[in-house]
Amino acid sequence: MKNKFYQYILQLQNQITSKLEEVDGVAKFREDLWDRPEGGGGRTRVIENGPEGSGVFEKGGVNISAVHGKLPDSMQQLFKVGEADFFACGLSLVIHPKNPMVPTVHANWRYFEMYDANGEVMQSWFGGGQDLTPYYLFDEDAIHFHQTCKTACDAHDPSFYSKYKKQCDAYFWNAHRKEARGVGGLFFDYLKTDEQHTMNDWYDFVTDVGNSFLQAYVPIVERRKDLSYSEAQRTWQEIRRGRYVEFNLVHDKGTLFGLKTNGRIESILMSLPPHVQWVYDHHPEPGSEEARLLEVLAQPVEWVVSD
């Protein structure tokens, strides 16, 4: 399974980066191969501003990694196990467009195995998801993103979309701000063999979600990337990006896992946007589009009707 899924994310990385370069039209992804001293490594691809700030994507990363070795003490405590070996691989991406009318997007699909003293797999699971973080809210974009997620889920189980949408709303919640990071999507973790599902079933589900990513995001980028915007709107985008940074550094489990397992810092922190602001006690004008976004982020919205 680990080899099968690793081959899948290699192919998916190529597919996603090729399409995003096509959409950007100017900038290209830079590739870095890296090794982890304790075992494994990865392939990081980062896209940044084209010449003289042209292009659609201000900064983005589409990274894959496959790491293995002894499970660190901190992770032993998290998983409530003693000494064990592990293998983890996944694809993680974050895209920060320049135009504030285009939302930031994040996605991650991963697989984990843990081994006993004889090298036998004692636990394995899948995790991942995809979520959208707009700066200016276009309802039809949120609906499109969620409908694409729901379609991918419904092919496997009609209960999945509602379940994993709720988990996404709960996970991407900036508790110290009492607001959502964005308009959500899907989030799932610890997908293990059970009475209804084999690991192959979960593989099929997770890869179908991964395959839906470009369909979920690219049409939104195409609709919004050429819209005009003001300096004030750009400032709002940078203020909201600050909340994104706060979530990733304070709450995100993926960031924590990377730091705790001696991952590559440049790859772990590639999710942080290049231009961010923290403005003291900032409040948007009542009745403005900025204020409407905050109202939506204060309470999860049902963007599509669940069956």
Side-chain angles (χ1 to χ4, degrees):
M1 180 58 73
K2 69 180 183 182
N3 293 329
K4 182 179 178 181
F5 190 69
Y6 183 62
Q7 290 303 312
Y8 168 74
I9 61 175
L10 284 171
Q11 165 267 319
L12 185 62
Q13 184 189 39
N14 290 336
Q15 180 184 349
I16 290 173
T17 55
S18 295
K19 184 61 179 180
L20 293 181
E21 285 182 345
E22 178 188 322
V23 172
D24 188 273
V26 179
K28 300 294 184 183
F29 279 89
R30 163 189 168 181
E31 179 175 286
D32 287 324
L33 303 178
W34 56 273
D35 293 316
R36 175 177 175 268
E38 295 86 350
R43 187 169 75 184
T44 292
R45 290 182 180 169
V46 172
I47 192 169
E48 294 186 280
N49 271 329
E52 299 178 357
S54 59
V56 175
F57 303 119
E58 189 167 26
K59 183 184 179 186
V62 183
N63 300 342
I64 57 173
S65 64
V67 299
H68 57 85
K70 294 293 182 185
L71 195 66
D73 291 344
S74 58
M75 305 308 290
Q76 291 177 30
Q77 295 168 16
L78 177 65
F79 296 140
K80 297 180 173 59
V81 296
E83 287 192 8
D85 287 345
F86 81 98
F87 169 87
C89 71
L91 185 156
S92 182
L93 69 84
V94 178
I95 304 295
H96 292 292
K98 184 174 182 180
N99 189 325
M101 302 300 158
V102 185
T104 284
V105 72
H106 159 262
N108 173 264
W109 307 282
R110 59 190 180 274
Y111 177 69
F112 188 94
E113 288 184 352
M114 200 154 42
Y115 310 99
D116 63 20
N118 298 318
E120 298 294 323
V121 176
M122 58 180 181
Q123 289 192 49
S124 64
W125 65 81
F126 285 101
Q130 53 202 36
D131 64 284
L132 196 68
T133 303
Y135 306 100
Y136 286 89
L137 182 60
F138 296 89
D139 288 11
E140 60 267 36
D141 293 350
I143 292 168
H144 167 82
F145 191 86
H146 277 268
Q147 184 60 61
T148 306
C149 291
K150 184 176 185 298
T151 299
C153 288
D154 286 352
H156 296 269
D157 189 314
S159 72
F160 279 1
Y161 169 72
S162 178
K163 178 180 180 180
Y164 299 138
K165 190 260 186 195
K166 286 185 176 69
Q167 290 182 187
C168 187
D169 290 335
Y171 181 78
F172 292 106
W173 180 256
N174 240 343
H176 63 284
R177 296 286 190 178
K178 296 183 174 58
E179 66 183 23
R181 187 174 80 171
V183 295
L186 302 173
F187 179 81
F188 41 84
D189 207 356
Y190 303 113
L191 302 183
K192 302 178 180 181
T193 298
D194 57 28
E195 291 182 359
Q196 289 80 35
H197 308 98
T198 65
M199 291 307 289
N200 279 317
D201 292 333
W202 289 127
Y203 172 89
D204 291 341
F205 168 64
V206 173
T207 56
D208 275 356
V209 174
N211 293 340
S212 77
F213 170 76
L214 288 172
Q215 180 186 351
Y217 185 56
V218 169
I220 297 172
V221 179
E222 297 282 17
R223 280 200 293 266
R224 309 301 170 197
K225 65 186 178 69
D226 296 320
L227 295 180
S228 61
Y229 59 91
S230 66
E231 276 303 309
Q233 289 170 325
R234 175 74 172 166
T235 295
W236 172 249
Q237 178 196 43
E238 293 179 359
I239 292 171
R240 293 304 308 169
R241 282 176 171 180
R243 305 297 174 89
Y244 202 93
V245 171
E246 289 175 21
F247 179 87
N248 280 27
L249 295 183
V250 175
H251 302 298
D252 187 67
K253 293 179 182 177
T255 302
L256 176 66
F257 180 81
L259 296 175
K260 295 290 188 183
T261 55
N262 196 28
R264 182 174 184 257
I265 297 300
E266 288 299 318
S267 299
I268 297 166
L269 299 183
M270 67 84 191
S271 63
L272 304 184
H275 298 286
V276 190
Q277 293 191 40
W278 282 273
V279 177
Y280 179 74
D281 200 26
H282 181 272
H283 298 279
E285 287 291 323
S288 66
E289 281 299 303
E290 293 84 356
R292 186 172 89 90
L293 175 68
L294 294 188
E295 290 170 7
V296 168
L297 297 183
Q299 184 70 38
V301 172
E302 296 301 319
W303 294 104
V304 297
V305 177
S306 298
D307 297 332

